Amino acid sequence: MSVARVFLALMSVLLMAAGVRADTALNSARLWPAPDHTRLVLDMGDSVEHSIFALKNPDRLVIDIENTKLSANLDGLDLSGSPIRRIRSAPRNGDDLRVVLDLKSEIKPRSFQLEPNEQYGHRLVLDLIDEDGLRRNEASQPVLSDNHDGKRDVIVVIDAGHGGEDPGATGPSGTREKDVVLKLARKLKAVVDSKPGYKARLTRNGDYYIGLRERTLLARKQNADLFISVHADAFRTSKPRGASVFALSQRGATSETARWLARNENSSDLIGGVGGVSLGDKNEVLAGVLLDLSMTASINASVGVGDYVLRNLGQVARLHKSGVEQAAFVVLKSPDIPSILVEAGFISNPQEEKNLQSSAYQGKLANAIWEGISAYFNDTPPPGTLLAWKKRNGQDNSVASYRIQRGDTLSDLARRYSTTVRRIKEINNLSSDQVVIGQTIAVPTS
């Protein structure tokens, strides 16, 4: 065969290959409505090229996906609670797919792709953002306690980890972390709300996802005195078990300080919450010093409240580590709000998975976390709160329950809770200094 014929044959093969396009399929879809946005997830056979644009009169969002065919029944999606009235689709330009969302109201769209993970393959994600909903979630006013004009409640923001498209860890029997921690967060909120001088807020109260930075932003908007993120740990084997408490590490604080100082919108940022110190009118050196001081104080307070919470968790659950651990978790990077992350147990451990499924056990964990919160704030009540007013006026007689552990003595407990052995004995009607492992006693929390 001549060189020319070989060349022509190769060109023919290449041209035929160029004309054959392997379609990517849109295999299924999921919808996750949230208070201020709705997330539409399209399961794709591969990564895709796509574009989106909005149309008005009536409001519509058009998604054009290249080289894609429809292999899903989009009519079966439950659209309740979302801004979507109807979903339509049709082939476009022969090989492409056009999906049209008929909307009930105007939204701000955002799209991105996610790589495959353990549960899902390639995904095209569309967030339909309700800007009116965002405005409704702007900073709230301090909550004033009943019958105490001018004395505000302590605000505790409780963050249930993961949610929506992000299930978190999965236990051996299929228990999903996102479901367990939401139930625990709701129980903790109920306990906190039932106590005078306290008010709890949830970052999410349903099965939807919130970005990690947005969770801390929600805490700031709520003027939080404490941020608690609730999770369930996992490991590649089923052996590890036990609850843990984390605060921010110094390495995480250093990176966050640099990030804050590099942001262009610092003029509106405060440290110290509402009425705190604005960084916008400070030179770079002074702003850095102020932010570093605030971050250091926040970490110290986080470790302090974490120690109280861990100590009380140890009375109802096995502990993975005996002290508060520190790591660079994004949700802990608030420079002016004490923030802790509670790992309620290892969902990858069959026994702990079973425990975490139990409503009664979740209640025990919620009460133990509350006892830690209460003990911390009774010791160091935030200025302007009902708790601070009570303490200043000698009305603080709060006590917490404590289960005696190996090595505990009344004198140790007196030092730990800043009280006296005599006071502990009076509260518990004890005739001697002797205590036994497993015995539950009441201790003053201030």
Side-chain angles (χ1 to χ4, degrees), residues 277-343:
V277 179
S278 172
L279 299 178
D281 58 348
K282 309 297 187 295
N283 64 47
E284 186 175 345
V285 175
L286 179 55
V289 170
L290 291 172
L291 189 56
D292 186 59
L293 289 171
S294 182
M295 188 70 83
T296 300
S298 179
I299 290 177
N300 290 340
S302 301
V303 173
V305 68
D307 185 58
Y308 279 101
V309 169
L310 187 69
R311 196 184 305 156
N312 282 276
L313 278 174
Q315 298 184 54
V316 299
R318 178 174 181 153
L319 297 181
H320 184 60
K321 294 287 179 67
S322 59
V324 176
E325 300 176 75
Q326 291 181 260
F329 289 120
V330 173
V331 292
L332 301 181
K333 291 185 175 182
S334 177
D336 53 355
I337 303 172
S339 304
I340 61 173
L341 186 145
V342 175
E343 297 279 9

Side-chain angles (χ1 to χ4, degrees), residues 57-260:
N57 299 320
D59 291 314
R60 287 154 290 162
L61 182 67
V62 180
I63 307 110
D64 286 333
I65 312 173
E66 294 184 13
N67 191 29
T68 298
K69 63 181 179 181
L70 181 65
S71 298
N73 178 17
L74 300 181
D75 294 334
L77 276 179
D78 181 5
L79 304 179
S80 58
S82 80
I84 304 173
R85 183 166 48 83
R86 184 176 60 160
I87 301 180
R88 297 179 283 128
S89 63
R92 180 175 178 270
N93 297 335
D95 297 306
D96 302 339
L97 176 68
R98 169 166 285 185
V99 178
V100 179
L101 309 182
D102 294 325
L103 302 170
K104 302 172 186 174
S105 59
E106 185 179 0
I107 54 90
K108 180 180 179 181
R110 177 180 63 187
S111 68
F112 56 93
Q113 295 190 65
L114 292 175
E115 293 294 318
N117 61 16
E118 294 178 358
Q119 187 168 358
Y120 300 114
H122 290 277
R123 287 154 290 166
L124 173 58
V125 180
L126 296 107
D127 282 341
L128 315 179
I129 301 166
D130 174 10
E131 294 197 308
D132 286 337
L134 286 173
R135 283 189 284 271
R136 285 193 295 271
N137 286 330
E138 287 300 321
S140 62
Q141 295 299 312
V143 180
L144 301 183
S145 291
D146 296 337
N147 304 319
H148 293 282
D149 292 343
K151 312 298 185 299
R152 70 174 183 86
D153 285 336
V154 171
I155 303 298
V156 180
V157 170
I158 304 163
D159 171 49
H162 308 283
E165 189 67 10
D166 176 13
T170 303
S173 69
T175 306
R176 298 181 301 185
E177 180 183 0
K178 68 173 183 177
D179 299 327
V180 167
V181 297
L182 179 58
K183 291 176 182 177
L184 177 54
R186 286 171 172 166
K187 287 184 182 294
L188 179 56
K189 180 183 187 300
V191 174
V192 174
D193 282 341
S194 70
K195 307 301 180 181
Y198 286 88
K199 193 64 65 178
R201 298 281 187 265
L202 296 176
T203 57
R204 71 176 180 96
N205 195 20
D207 190 10
Y208 49 86
Y209 181 75
I210 301 174
L212 299 179
R213 296 273 179 195
E214 293 174 62
R215 297 170 191 249
T216 58
L217 181 60
L218 284 170
R220 293 179 62 79
K221 287 180 177 179
Q222 293 291 342
N223 304 320
D225 297 289
L226 176 65
F227 176 86
I228 299 179
S229 191
V230 185
H231 289 255
D233 218 336
F235 197 65
R236 60 180 178 272
T237 69
S238 61
K239 186 175 180 181
R241 55 187 302 191
S244 307
V245 176
F246 286 85
L248 184 64
S249 66
Q250 193 57 51
R251 178 172 58 86
T254 301
S255 63
E256 189 65 11
T257 299
R259 179 182 178 275
W260 264 58

Side-chain angles (χ1 to χ4, degrees), residues 397-441:
N397 297 311
S398 301
V399 296
S401 60
Y402 180 83
R403 190 172 65 182
I404 300 298
Q405 302 176 41
R406 186 178 301 278
D408 282 339
T409 65
L410 290 188
S411 58
D412 289 336
L413 292 177
R415 284 193 296 271
R416 191 181 304 169
Y417 286 91
S418 302
T419 186
T420 64
V421 172
R422 179 180 177 182
R423 178 63 177 146
I424 296 177
K425 291 171 67 176
E426 284 177 355
I427 294 173
N428 293 277
N429 199 23
L430 298 175
S431 57
S432 74
D433 292 356
Q434 298 299 312
V435 289
V436 296
I437 297 173
Q439 177 184 358
T440 299
I441 64 172

